[in-house]
Amino acid sequence: MARRPTGSVVALDVGGTRIKAGIVGPGHDVLLDRTRDTGAAEGADAVAARVLDLVTELLDEAEAGGCAAGAVGVALPGIVEEAAGRVVLSANLGWRDLDLAALLAKRTELPIAIGHDVRAGGLAESVLGAGRHCRDLLFLPIGTGIAGAMILDGRPYAAGGYAGEIGHLRVEPDGRPCRCGGRGCLERYASAAAIAGAYAARAGEPVTAAEVAARVAAGDPVAVAVWGEAVEALAVALGAYYTVCAPELVIVGGGLAGSGELLLEPLRASLSARLTFQRVPRIVRAELGDRAGLLGAALLARAGAGAP
């Protein structure tokens, strides 16, 4: 029997560790949510099967609850060709050249939208979060790594899936080696992993980035030095980005955004000091937290189905 759509969509944010999934209503409210382990260690086929099964499960639950979904959106890490619905490469999931949209369409017979997790999160923040009514912004989640979602004239910019890799802007010539094969990348100085690693190397004590932030607030000189280097690296990268793209707003998300003004206040000051003729942007904390990717996937699903 054909499903009778009600304006709801099924959305998934597929990460290397967990899958956040839900039924999202026409008012962007999450009507039902589920979390599953990704199970990446089981292999690429197992992850794909888990995604397909979870979508089917949610579609059935939506129909049983009287809010039958009319489209499906999936956000995931890697290089994604959104228009084709194809995953070029997702190392975290073990996927390469996977036509995910075709697999889901065959299973569900519904419109399918596939997107990059950070671009989806940036879209959600621009429509529903801290960037509402802003046409040009950069969404900058800082976690284990650093990526960026470029929202230009109200639309995420993908460049065939390759845009937004601000974490691999070189901020230190001949600097620390990066897993990308380069040296001196922003991610090696200002990500949560880099901050924790730099503190541990100097203090001889393993800590998390959140613990480093707490020690900065308490005046620990090693933590203050490590934090200052991360802020300066971010300012260098953002200065280059602003010179080229000049967005109105930077929205900082990810785990490091939890430090709030401890990060944002010195970052604003450092960036402002570097800019000359460029307009000085607003830098704010993201509003949607870890639901940004899920809500972005829902927005992509609605757009793919032709819904407003």
Side-chain angles (χ1 to χ4, degrees):
M1 180 182 297
R3 304 178 191 272
R4 295 187 297 277
T6 63
S8 298
V9 299
V10 165
L12 277 72
D13 179 7
V14 183
T17 303
R18 285 181 296 277
I19 303 172
K20 294 185 283 289
I23 302 166
V24 181
H28 311 297
D29 46 331
V30 180
L31 306 176
L32 178 121
D33 58 13
R34 294 283 184 270
T35 303
R36 296 282 190 275
D37 290 337
T38 305
E42 299 172 28
D45 291 344
V47 176
R50 187 167 287 111
V51 167
L52 291 168
D53 290 345
L54 183 51
V55 167
T56 301
E57 174 188 326
L58 287 169
L59 287 171
D60 290 343
E61 290 198 47
E63 190 159 12
C67 57
V72 176
V74 180
L76 56 101
I79 300 171
V80 182
E81 287 187 353
E82 283 98 336
R86 187 173 72 92
V87 181
V88 178
L89 174 66
S90 181
N92 291 346
L93 305 177
W95 291 348
R96 181 185 293 273
D97 293 324
L98 178 67
D99 195 343
L100 184 59
L103 291 175
L104 285 166
K106 183 177 180 180
R107 173 74 70 95
T108 67
E109 299 183 346
L110 290 174
I112 306 296
I114 308 297
H116 184 267
D117 55 353
V118 175
R119 281 193 291 277
L123 175 64
E125 284 287 349
S126 73
V127 174
L128 307 172
R132 290 184 295 272
H133 313 304
C134 182
R135 301 288 295 175
D136 296 285
L137 62 87
L138 173 68
F139 175 54
L140 186 70
I142 307 174
T144 303
I146 300 177
M150 305 165 64
I151 307 296
L152 305 178
D153 196 24
R155 297 182 179 184
Y157 180 70
Y162 290 87
E165 294 291 349
I166 193 170
H168 297 286
L169 275 177
R170 181 173 293 182
V171 297
E172 187 68 40
D174 300 319
R176 299 170 189 163
C178 181
R179 59 182 180 173
C180 75
R183 300 185 70 92
C185 295
L186 173 64
E187 196 169 279
R188 294 292 290 116
Y189 295 86
S191 66
I195 289 170
Y199 185 91
R202 296 184 191 188
E205 179 185 357
V207 293
T208 65
E211 289 169 332
V212 176
R215 295 180 188 199
V216 171
D220 178 336
V222 175
V224 169
V226 168
W227 198 259
E229 289 173 3
V231 168
E232 285 303 303
L234 285 166
V236 170
L238 287 175
Y241 183 87
Y242 262 85
T243 301
V244 176
C245 295
E248 305 168 49
L249 181 68
V250 174
I251 301 174
V252 179
L256 214 62
S259 60
E261 290 300 310
L262 188 72
L263 173 66
L264 302 185
E265 184 177 359
L267 180 56
R268 292 185 194 108
S270 183
L271 179 59
S272 295
R274 289 179 175 278
L275 299 179
T276 54
F277 65 90
Q278 304 93 332
R279 66 177 173 184
V280 178
R282 291 185 296 130
I283 303 178
V284 302
R285 183 176 173 180
E287 292 183 2
L288 300 179
D290 63 1
R291 280 197 164 178
L294 177 69
L295 291 171
L299 289 169
L300 292 173
R302 292 181 61 78

